[in-house]
């Protein structure tokens, strides 16, 4: 019999990439969506898998809905990708961020403990948990946490709750501590997609400027399509554990901007970029760079997409999308 997996956050960026991978491996994939007046399946359609997913309705803030899903499908694996994942917004909506990202995870783990304890559980943890902390310029699994936002704090709670269910109830529960990963279906608010879209608009004469916040912060950026392979591998190990997934390279927002403009042949990028304090954060995470040695050794996972390829994939995808819009508008 084929295995089944429940993917929460199926409509986001990672959900469709992971679902595609699981479908290719022969899984029956259930995708959890919350109630929308107008659901948006565009990310799932982008990967061409809309008709292959069975959608189930549930909300991370509604424990009964999670219990009902788990009791109905008893999945072999649960990948918990659902989150209020935008760091910038988490100061303005700290409570709902906590309810979804922290208490929601407790509810899901509790539902599994009572109704499907042998299900393997993946928690989408994050490099934001490290915040200010590093070990010789890198973050490794042993680097202490020092989160800098309500988002980072909510994820630290969920991280430890996942570890605690593993240690208390012997459940197969693993944390993937993923560093930033991007793609053409990255949410438009996140800086890489905002830059790719903005640069493509400027190139096509659809915009005159690109407004950004802190250009000096540095991130370890990889490609989402590579990272979901590590998520899957984590749940195929003999024992549950926690792993960093990262490229080990770091680049500033400024470098991303320069590279994106270069992709479309614009070198005088400073003419177009305006610094806007609205996009600066009350507390910044200045630099992230992950040490993914454990994932390399145990999971046999390595990233395949370079920084330069990533920038070019994203800018080209936005150019194509916007040209199609221009064409259909005549
Ligand atoms: P994303 O694009 O923001 O997707 C998040 C998904 O969660 C969306 O589909 C959203 O649904 C869903 N969601 C939000 N609140 C919910 C609720 N109350 N109940 C049910 N679903 C809810 O995020 P992503 O980039 O794919 O990231 C996936 C996960 O990895 C997140 O947990 C994120 O925090 C974590 N993470 C991401 C990165 C990264 O660089 N991308 C790095 C480390 C960790 P709607 O469509 O209804 O809004
Ligand atoms: O793209 P960002 O919004 O991503 P951030 O804050 O690093 O968070 C992402 O990665 C985390 C993993 O480390 C995930 F857990 C999280 O869910 C999310 O996926 O911002 C990246 C950097 C920040 O330093 C920000 O201050 O870019 C800087 N930045 C500069 N100008 C901007 C802007 N960020 C955004 N969103 N918009 C700007 O205009």
């Amino acid at each position: 019999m084929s295995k089944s997996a429940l993917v929460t956050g199926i409509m986001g960026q990672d959900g469709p990439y992971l679902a595609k991978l699981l479908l290719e491996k022969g899984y029956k994939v259930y995708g959890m969506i919350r109630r929308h007046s107008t659901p948006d399946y565009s990310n799932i359609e982008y990967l061409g898998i809309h008709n292959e997913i069975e959608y189930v309705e549930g909300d991370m803030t509604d424990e009964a809905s999670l219990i009902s899903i788990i009791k109905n499908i008893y999945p072999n694996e649960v990948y918990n990708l659902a989150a209020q994942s935008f760091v910038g917004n988490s100061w303005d909506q700290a409570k709902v961020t906590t309810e979804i990202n922290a208490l929601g995870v407790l509810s899901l783990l509790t539902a599994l403990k009572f109704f499907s304890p042998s299900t393997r559980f993946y928690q989408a943890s994050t490099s934001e948990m490290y915040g200010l902390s590093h070990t010789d310029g890198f973050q490794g699994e042993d680097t202490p946490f020092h989160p800098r936002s309500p988002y980072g704090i909510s994820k630290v709670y969920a991280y430890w709750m996942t570890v605690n269910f593993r240690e208390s109830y012997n459940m197969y529960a693993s944390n993937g501590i993923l560093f930033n990963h991007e793609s053409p279906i990255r949410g438009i608010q996140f800086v890489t997609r905002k830059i790719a879209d903005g640069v493509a608009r400027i190139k096509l004469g659809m915009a005159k400027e690109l407004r950004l916040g802190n250009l000096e912060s540095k991130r370890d950026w990889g490609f989402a399509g590579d990272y979901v392979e590590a998520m899957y591998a984590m749940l195929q190990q003999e024992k549950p554990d926690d792993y960093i997934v990262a490229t080990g390279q770091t680049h500033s927002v400024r470098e991303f901007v320069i590279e994106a403009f270069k992709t479309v042949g614009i070198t005088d990028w400073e003419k177009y970029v305006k610094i806007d304090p609205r996009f600066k954060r009350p507390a910044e995470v200045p630099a992230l760079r992950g040490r993914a040695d454990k994932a390399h050794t145990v999971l046999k996972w390595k990233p395949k997409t370079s920084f330069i390829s990533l920038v070019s994939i994203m800018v080209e995808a936005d150019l194509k999308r916007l040209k199609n819009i221009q064409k259909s508008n005549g």
Side-chain angles (χ1 to χ4, degrees):
M1 243 184 41
S2 69
K3 281 192 185 175
S4 63
L6 170 69
V7 179
T8 72
I10 190 81
M11 284 178 165
Q13 171 188 249
D14 292 1
Y17 281 104
L18 177 65
K20 188 164 197 278
L21 178 75
L22 293 169
L23 287 165
E24 282 163 7
K25 293 192 180 292
Y27 278 65
K28 162 102 186 145
V29 177
Y30 296 91
M32 191 179 95
I33 54 174
R34 55 179 166 169
R35 198 245 157 212
H36 293 96
S37 51
T38 313
D40 177 2
Y41 296 99
S42 56
N43 286 354
I44 300 165
E45 280 161 354
Y46 182 86
L47 291 182
I49 52 170
H50 184 40
N51 295 329
E52 294 172 69
I53 291 169
E54 184 162 333
Y55 295 102
V56 288
E57 270 198 24
D59 193 302
M60 293 302 289
T61 60
D62 186 328
E63 192 167 14
S65 71
L66 303 175
I67 291 173
S68 164
I69 291 170
I70 297 301
K71 275 183 74 171
N72 280 330
I73 65 178
Y74 296 109
N76 296 99
E77 295 168 11
V78 169
Y79 294 87
N80 181 39
L81 308 184
Q84 190 304 90
S85 78
F86 188 52
V87 174
N89 179 265
S90 74
W91 279 275
D92 297 329
Q93 296 186 17
K95 192 174 173 201
V96 79
T97 300
T98 306
E99 284 165 354
I100 298 168
N101 299 4
L103 296 179
V105 179
L106 173 60
S107 298
L108 187 49
L109 282 164
T110 304
L112 289 170
K113 176 190 154 202
F114 285 121
F115 298 106
S116 193
S118 61
T119 295
R120 294 186 169 204
F121 178 79
Y122 171 89
Q123 168 58 16
S125 287
T126 165
S127 45
E128 275 290 307
M129 299 188 303
Y130 298 113
L132 276 189
S133 194
H134 64 87
T135 314
D136 301 329
F138 284 86
Q139 287 85 22
E141 282 91 358
D142 295 335
T143 303
F145 297 146
H146 183 150
R148 292 275 280 171
S149 63
Y151 169 81
I153 295 163
S154 70
K155 288 283 189 173
V156 170
Y157 174 94
Y159 169 93
W160 281 117
M161 203 46 89
T162 300
V163 173
N164 188 254
F165 270 64
R166 180 166 84 214
E167 292 177 351
S168 306
Y169 311 117
N170 204 23
M171 283 168 59
Y172 193 115
S174 295
N175 283 288
I177 308 171
L178 271 55
F179 283 60
N180 298 51
H181 47 280
E182 320 293 315
S183 74
I185 55 168
R186 181 63 141 150
I188 199 81
Q189 281 184 305
F190 298 92
V191 78
T192 56
R193 181 72 199 290
K194 184 175 169 182
I195 296 167
D197 173 76
V199 166
R201 279 176 195 276
I202 289 167
K203 177 68 182 174
L204 298 174
M206 296 167 82
K208 290 193 163 51
E209 60 178 30
L210 172 59
R211 302 189 84 84
L212 294 170
N214 179 11
L215 298 188
E216 309 316 324
S217 62
K218 292 177 137 190
R219 291 291 180 272
D220 179 331
W221 278 299
F223 172 53
D226 295 344
Y227 283 36
V228 297
E229 291 179 3
M231 295 179 187
Y232 170 74
M234 277 178 224
L235 295 202
Q236 314 312 314
Q237 302 306 306
E238 204 181 311
K239 290 191 182 143
D241 204 346
D242 310 314
Y243 301 87
I244 280 184
V245 178
T247 70
Q249 314 270 319
T250 192
H251 295 275
S252 64
V253 174
R254 178 185 297 275
E255 285 173 86
F256 198 106
V257 169
I258 294 171
E259 200 53 48
F261 275 104
K262 215 197 277 177
T263 304
V264 298
I266 297 176
T267 47
D268 54 350
W269 62 273
E270 278 158 309
K271 229 168 76 185
Y272 301 102
V273 174
K274 305 277 176 291
I275 301 304
D276 187 332
R278 282 180 306 157
F279 299 114
K280 293 198 170 163
R281 295 177 178 175
E284 180 62 279
V285 171
L288 291 172
R289 185 178 193 185
R291 204 190 286 286
D293 295 357
K294 187 169 157 188
H296 299 166
T297 315
V298 181
L299 305 179
K300 315 281 180 236
W301 177 88
K302 283 221 166 133
K304 297 175 195 145
T305 313
S306 70
F307 173 73
I308 290 185
S309 309
L310 176 67
V311 178
S312 141
I313 290 168
M314 292 181 72
V315 175
E316 295 297 345
D318 273 317
L319 273 174
K320 189 171 163 198
R321 182 181 58 84
L322 292 167
K323 277 181 190 163
N324 284 338
I325 292 175
Q326 278 185 326
K327 227 188 268 166
S328 61
N329 290 344

